Amino acid sequence: MKKYLLAIDAGTGSIRAVLFDIEGNQIAMSQREWSHLEEEGVPNSMSFDFKKNWPLVCDSIKEAIKGVNADEIVALSATSMREGIILYDKDGDELWGVANVDARASDEVRYLKEHYPQMEEEFYAKSGQTFALGALPRLMWLKNNRPKVYEKVASISMIGDWILAKLSGKIAVDPSNAGTTGIFSLSSRKWESEMASKIGIKDDIFPEVLETGKVLGQVTEEAAHATGLSRLTQVVMGGGDVQLGSAGLGVVREGDVAVLGGSFWQQVVNIKKDVSPPKDMGIRINPHVIQGLSQAEGITFFSGLVMRWFRDAFCALEKMEAQERGCDVYEILEEKAVKVPVGSYEILPIFSDSMKYGKWYHAAPSFLNLGLDSDKYNTISMFRALEENAAIVSSINLEKIEAFSGVKIETIVFAGGASKGKLWSQIVADVTGCEVKIPKVTEATALGAAMAAGVGSGIYESLEDAASRVVVWERSYMPNMENKKIYDSLKEKWQKAYVKQLELVDSGVTQSMWMAPGEG
């Protein structure tokens, strides 16, 4: 009998069900877009509509598995956007949910910082998280604004765990995703319920913690009917999208490093779980899906989205050319950008700052250092400058991680949509001075979830074993150290410029591109 593994990936913009064989080959994929709407009268909210979204999950599963015998799917697991939470009543029925960047709790964040000035630093030292995207301010908001709902709350989970609970009937969490609530210990990989009690929040709503790859149960009769799955299929604990995505890229051992180049860029470095977070709260620390490891994480906001905006706003001619040639517009842009000198005539794009997790906001979007020579300062040189800038900000975040963790970074796994660009991959190598390896995988996050399912069903001994068997490399890039010297100088100038641009935001002259809850 053939054996398959099913991964369910709950992202910000869509839900996907991806079917793999046990060698890690993708067999089928089904996707449904979903949206998380602002709640009426609640500014900056991003609600998660579990009633509307569960049928989308079921439809995705049905379509993905229709070509195989359901009994051949030995196990499944799920992954999801981190920070998104679901609350349940005593019967396990959903009460309330929010997606990942819900920012309704700005007043609560501000209240906590003002009334408990040392608390965020104290909690960060244990959890690696600040208040900005954590669950505590959101729970406070619910208590303050929806008290009748709050009184019914008996349990909490993350969105991926909600999917597994709907399939297995058991509510539980894994460390990598639950850690992003900020109510969690990096060292013990367990809930820190006293954090909730210290601010007057219920401290008895935290479910069992299971490590990634542990079996929750089998598909229930109700779930089998709704999805077409077999009741023989095991439901296995998954994890956060970045951490499982890292596993799907082979980033499973201490010191392994990845740059994930998507809509946002993440720079992740595997460290021992007992490494203390930095005193300045500049970098986020999350439990990894690998027991004994945490991940230091830098985040570069909007790098992929900025590139999409630039393409659509300024690159109409290249889009036409790409259509005529039957290729991606980014291929055209990179072909032309190769001819621009390293450093792009010192154009300084001002978009995402490097990560300052304790006090985090961005300058107004802009380009600095443009000139009036159209042969130099044009669409193509600005495009290359954006690619260089994403790599520069990533390198700053990686340097921050090196400084407190003691890890010496020499090799980087580069993945996500940005890694398709050969020029961009070389730029990352040149800026960081590291070898850059590109994996041959299109669905790393889903593959990581499938690997977790395989561990639970006994197909793989561990996630490390799974990675050694299914992760394949496509190409690699070695750094040009002469180019690195140019980028080091450019990096220094960019950092000085960004400080000045933040001063314009502080004085009210310009408007921040993004500001963490409680910073306004």
Side-chain angles (χ1 to χ4, degrees):
M1 184 180 79
K2 291 183 178 180
K3 293 183 179 180
Y4 299 99
L5 301 167
L6 180 66
I8 304 162
D9 182 2
T12 302
S14 67
I15 178 71
R16 296 181 298 168
V18 189
L19 189 68
F20 293 89
D21 64 21
I22 61 174
E23 284 77 39
N25 300 304
Q26 183 176 315
I27 304 301
M29 191 273 282
S30 178
Q31 181 170 346
R32 297 289 186 276
E33 291 187 356
W34 57 21
S35 56
H36 317 296
L37 302 178
E38 185 170 285
E39 189 174 333
E40 187 174 353
V42 185
N44 303 312
S45 57
M46 183 186 269
S47 297
F48 184 82
D49 189 342
F50 40 80
K51 290 182 180 178
K52 181 179 178 182
N53 290 339
W54 175 241
L56 299 178
V57 176
C58 294
D59 289 346
S60 296
I61 293 172
K62 283 180 184 176
E63 187 170 85
I65 69 173
K66 65 183 180 182
V68 301
N69 182 338
D71 288 345
E72 295 175 337
I73 303 171
V74 293
L76 64 83
S77 190
T79 181
S80 69
M81 56 178 129
R82 301 165 305 164
E83 300 95 29
I85 59 174
I86 303 289
L87 302 177
Y88 308 83
D89 65 17
K90 60 182 176 58
D91 298 319
D93 294 325
E94 306 96 321
L95 288 169
W96 187 77
V98 294
N100 51 351
V101 291
D102 178 274
R104 73 181 69 209
S106 288
D107 289 345
E108 285 72 21
V109 171
R110 203 172 291 113
Y111 174 86
L112 289 170
K113 290 187 175 186
E114 290 174 358
H115 289 78
Y116 304 94
Q118 306 302 318
M119 183 174 283
E120 186 172 35
E121 186 175 342
E122 174 194 337
F123 286 7
Y124 172 80
K126 292 181 179 180
S127 70
Q129 312 292 312
T130 63
F131 289 144
L133 295 177
L136 284 175
R138 291 169 175 169
L139 291 168
M140 284 187 69
W141 182 94
L142 190 69
K143 182 179 180 181
N144 294 337
N145 295 276
R146 303 287 187 270
K148 290 183 179 179
V149 175
Y150 175 80
E151 285 305 315
K152 295 179 182 179
V153 174
S155 191
I156 182 174
S157 85
M158 316 308 286
I159 290 173
D161 308 317
W162 164 73
I163 291 171
L164 297 178
K166 296 287 282 186
L167 292 170
S168 70
K170 180 174 181 176
I171 300 172
V173 298
D174 97 289
S176 71
N177 217 339
T180 67
T181 64
I183 319 172
F184 207 84
S185 167
L186 288 168
S187 58
S188 71
R189 295 169 75 86
K190 298 294 182 184
W191 293 109
E192 283 281 339
S193 58
E194 66 176 29
M195 291 181 178
S197 57
K198 280 186 177 181
I199 62 169
I201 298 297
K202 292 182 179 184
D203 61 3
D204 59 352
I205 63 173
F206 304 108
E208 182 181 2
V209 179
L210 295 177
E211 291 286 348
T212 299
K214 297 296 184 182
V215 177
L216 284 87
Q218 292 178 305
V219 174
T220 66
E221 184 174 350
E222 183 180 359
H225 179 73
T227 61
L229 288 165
S230 167
R231 294 205 60 195
L232 300 174
T233 298
Q234 291 183 306
V235 181
V236 179
M237 180 52 71
D241 54 4
V242 169
Q243 287 88 349
L244 271 180
S246 299
L249 299 170
V251 180
V252 293
R253 293 175 176 79
E254 181 187 351
D256 285 354
V257 180
V259 172
L260 311 175
S263 298
F264 289 46
W265 279 31
Q266 283 110 0
Q267 305 84 34
V268 294
V269 181
N270 290 351
I271 61 176
K272 290 181 179 178
K273 70 175 185 177
D274 55 0
V275 173
S276 297
K279 297 292 186 183
D280 65 358
M281 298 196 299
I283 289 291
R284 186 183 199 186
I285 314 294
N286 305 297
H288 197 5
V289 289
I290 308 295
Q291 293 188 50
L293 293 181
S294 292
Q295 278 193 331
E297 178 182 359
I299 303 176
T300 308
F301 266 50
F302 305 127
S303 295
L305 296 178
V306 166
M307 196 62 84
R308 186 191 305 171
W309 158 77
F310 185 82
R311 176 199 69 189
D312 293 341
F314 299 105
C315 303
L317 291 177
E318 286 75 20
K319 289 171 79 172
M320 290 174 57
E321 185 177 346
Q323 190 172 12
E324 290 173 1
R325 290 173 50 181
C327 64
D328 191 291
V329 62
Y330 292 117
E331 291 183 40
I332 304 291
L333 288 164
E334 282 210 335
E335 284 177 11
K336 297 179 178 181
V338 168
K339 301 172 185 176
V340 176
V342 172
S344 302
Y345 305 109
E346 298 199 349
I347 296 171
L348 299 176
I350 303 295
F351 291 91
S352 179
D353 196 2
S354 61
M355 194 168 181
K356 297 178 176 67
Y357 198 33
K359 185 175 177 58
W360 203 9
Y361 66 106
H362 294 144
S366 57
F367 285 93
L368 303 182
N369 241 15
L370 295 175
L372 300 183
D373 183 344
S374 59
D375 290 334
K376 292 183 177 179
Y377 304 100
N378 52 43
T379 299
I380 303 305
S381 57
M382 293 166 75
F383 170 81
R384 178 169 181 136
L386 284 173
E387 289 201 337
E388 292 174 334
N389 185 250
I392 284 171
V393 182
S394 294
S395 74
I396 295 170
N397 286 340
L398 290 173
E399 287 166 0
K400 290 180 180 181
I401 294 170
E402 281 187 316
F404 82 85
S405 70
V407 173
K408 176 60 179 172
I409 299 172
E410 297 178 347
T411 302
I412 294 170
V413 176
F414 187 34
S419 68
K420 296 177 184 176
K422 293 181 171 59
L423 174 61
W424 216 344
S425 301
Q426 185 62 57
I427 287 171
V428 171
D430 292 350
V431 168
T432 61
C434 297
E435 179 186 9
V436 168
K437 297 171 66 177
I438 313 297
K440 188 177 182 180
V441 60
T442 56
E443 298 282 354
T445 302
L447 179 59
M451 289 161 54
V455 172
S457 61
I459 290 171
Y460 313 123
E461 291 183 8
S462 62
L463 287 171
E464 296 94 322
D465 173 53
S468 70
R469 291 168 60 178
V470 304
V471 177
V472 178
W473 304 106
E474 186 172 83
R475 60 188 193 276
S476 63
Y477 298 83
M478 298 303 296
N480 181 317
M481 300 310 288
E482 291 302 312
N483 290 349
K484 186 178 186 301
K485 292 177 184 177
I486 297 172
Y487 287 130
D488 285 345
S489 174
L490 194 63
K491 182 193 303 184
E492 185 177 348
K493 292 177 181 178
W494 179 85
Q495 289 175 289
K496 291 178 180 178
Y498 209 97
V499 170
K500 296 297 183 182
Q501 293 297 302
L502 286 174
E503 290 176 4
L504 293 176
V505 173
D506 294 339
S507 62
V509 174
T510 59
Q511 186 173 343
S512 172
M513 181 176 74
W514 178 84
M515 192 170 286
E519 294 293 350

